[in-house]
Coordinates of all heavy atoms in Angstrom, one line a residue:
Chain A
L368 N -143.3 132.1 -77.1 CA -144.1 130.9 -77.2 C -143.7 130.2 -78.5 O -144.5 130.0 -79.4 CB -145.6 131.2 -77.2 CG -146.1 131.9 -76.0 CD1 -147.5 132.4 -76.3 CD2 -146.2 131.0 -74.8
P369 N -142.4 129.8 -78.6 CA -142.0 129.2 -79.9 C -142.7 127.9 -80.3 O -143.0 127.7 -81.5 CB -140.5 128.9 -79.7 CG -140.3 128.9 -78.3 CD -141.3 129.7 -77.7
D370 N -143.1 127.1 -79.4 CA -143.8 125.9 -79.7 C -145.2 126.1 -80.3 O -145.6 125.5 -81.3 CB -143.9 124.9 -78.5 CG -142.6 124.4 -78.1 OD1 -141.8 124.1 -79.0 OD2 -142.4 124.3 -76.9
L371 N -145.9 127.1 -79.7 CA -147.2 127.4 -80.2 C -147.1 128.1 -81.6 O -147.9 127.8 -82.5 CB -147.9 128.4 -79.2 CG -149.3 128.8 -79.7 CD1 -150.3 127.6 -79.7 CD2 -149.9 129.9 -78.7
Y372 N -146.1 128.9 -81.7 CA -145.9 129.6 -83.0 C -145.6 128.5 -84.1 O -146.1 128.6 -85.2 CB -144.7 130.5 -82.9 CG -144.3 131.2 -84.2 CD1 -145.1 132.2 -84.7 CD2 -143.2 130.8 -85.0 CE1 -144.8 132.8 -86.0 CE2 -142.9 131.4 -86.2 CZ -143.7 132.4 -86.7 OH -143.4 133.0 -87.9
K373 N -144.9 127.5 -83.8 CA -144.5 126.5 -84.7 C -145.8 125.7 -85.1 O -146.0 125.4 -86.3 CB -143.5 125.5 -84.1 CG -142.7 124.7 -85.1 CD -141.5 124.1 -84.5 CE -140.6 123.5 -85.5 NZ -140.8 122.1 -85.8
S374 N -146.7 125.4 -84.2 CA -147.9 124.6 -84.6 C -148.9 125.5 -85.3 O -149.6 124.9 -86.1 CB -148.5 123.9 -83.4 OG -148.6 124.7 -82.3
L375 N -149.0 126.8 -85.0 CA -149.9 127.6 -85.8 C -149.4 127.9 -87.2 O -150.1 128.2 -88.1 CB -150.2 128.9 -85.1 CG -151.0 128.7 -83.8 CD1 -151.3 130.1 -83.2 CD2 -152.4 128.0 -84.1
G376 N -148.0 127.8 -87.3 CA -147.4 128.0 -88.6 C -147.8 129.2 -89.4 O -147.7 130.3 -88.9
I377 N -148.2 128.9 -90.6 CA -148.5 130.0 -91.6 C -149.7 130.8 -91.2 O -150.0 131.8 -91.8 CB -148.5 129.4 -93.0 CG1 -148.2 130.5 -94.0 CG2 -149.9 128.8 -93.3 CD1 -148.1 130.0 -95.4
F378 N -150.5 130.3 -90.2 CA -151.8 131.0 -90.0 C -151.7 132.2 -89.1 O -152.6 132.9 -88.9 CB -152.8 130.0 -89.5 CG -153.3 129.2 -90.6 CD1 -152.8 128.0 -91.0 CD2 -154.3 129.7 -91.5 CE1 -153.2 127.2 -92.1 CE2 -154.7 129.0 -92.6 CZ -154.2 127.8 -92.9
V379 N -150.5 132.4 -88.5 CA -150.3 133.6 -87.7 C -150.3 134.8 -88.6 O -151.1 135.7 -88.4 CB -149.1 133.5 -86.8 CG1 -148.9 134.8 -86.0 CG2 -149.3 132.4 -85.8
P380 N -149.4 134.8 -89.6 CA -149.4 136.0 -90.5 C -150.7 136.1 -91.2 O -151.1 137.2 -91.6 CB -148.3 135.7 -91.5 CG -147.7 134.4 -91.1 CD -148.2 133.9 -89.9
L381 N -151.5 135.0 -91.4 CA -152.8 135.2 -92.1 C -153.9 135.8 -91.2 O -155.0 136.0 -91.7 CB -153.2 133.8 -92.6 CG -152.5 133.3 -93.8 CD1 -153.0 131.9 -94.2 CD2 -152.7 134.3 -95.0
I382 N -153.6 136.1 -89.9 CA -154.6 136.8 -89.1 C -154.8 138.2 -89.7 O -155.9 138.8 -89.6 CB -154.1 136.9 -87.7 CG1 -154.0 135.6 -87.0 CG2 -155.0 137.8 -86.8 CD1 -153.4 135.6 -85.6
V383 N -153.9 138.7 -90.5 CA -154.0 140.0 -91.1 C -155.3 140.0 -92.0 O -156.0 141.0 -92.0 CB -152.8 140.4 -92.0 CG1 -153.0 141.7 -92.7 CG2 -151.5 140.4 -91.2
V384 N -155.5 139.0 -92.7 CA -156.7 139.0 -93.6 C -157.8 138.2 -93.0 O -158.8 137.9 -93.7 CB -156.3 138.4 -95.0 CG1 -155.3 139.2 -95.7 CG2 -155.7 137.0 -94.9
N385 N -157.8 138.0 -91.7 CA -158.9 137.4 -91.1 C -160.1 138.4 -91.1 O -160.0 139.5 -90.5 CB -158.6 137.0 -89.6 CG -159.7 136.3 -88.9 OD1 -160.8 136.6 -89.1 ND2 -159.3 135.4 -88.0
C386 N -161.2 138.1 -91.8 CA -162.2 139.1 -92.0 C -162.9 139.6 -90.8 O -163.4 140.7 -90.8 CB -163.3 138.5 -92.9 SG -162.6 138.1 -94.5
I387 N -162.7 138.8 -89.7 CA -163.4 139.3 -88.4 C -162.8 140.7 -88.0 O -163.4 141.6 -87.6 CB -163.2 138.3 -87.3 CG1 -163.9 137.0 -87.6 CG2 -163.7 138.9 -86.0 CD1 -163.6 135.9 -86.6
I388 N -161.4 140.8 -88.2 CA -160.7 141.9 -87.7 C -161.0 143.2 -88.5 O -161.4 144.2 -88.0 CB -159.2 141.7 -87.5 CG1 -159.1 140.4 -86.7 CG2 -158.5 142.8 -87.0 CD1 -157.7 140.0 -86.4

Side-chain angles (χ1 to χ4, degrees):
Chain A
L368 300 168
D370 293 322
L371 181 64
Y372 177 74
K373 203 161 188 270
S374 44
L375 291 182
I377 202 170
F378 284 93
V379 177
L381 283 180
I382 296 177
V383 179
V384 294
N385 185 327
C386 296
I387 298 177
I388 304 184

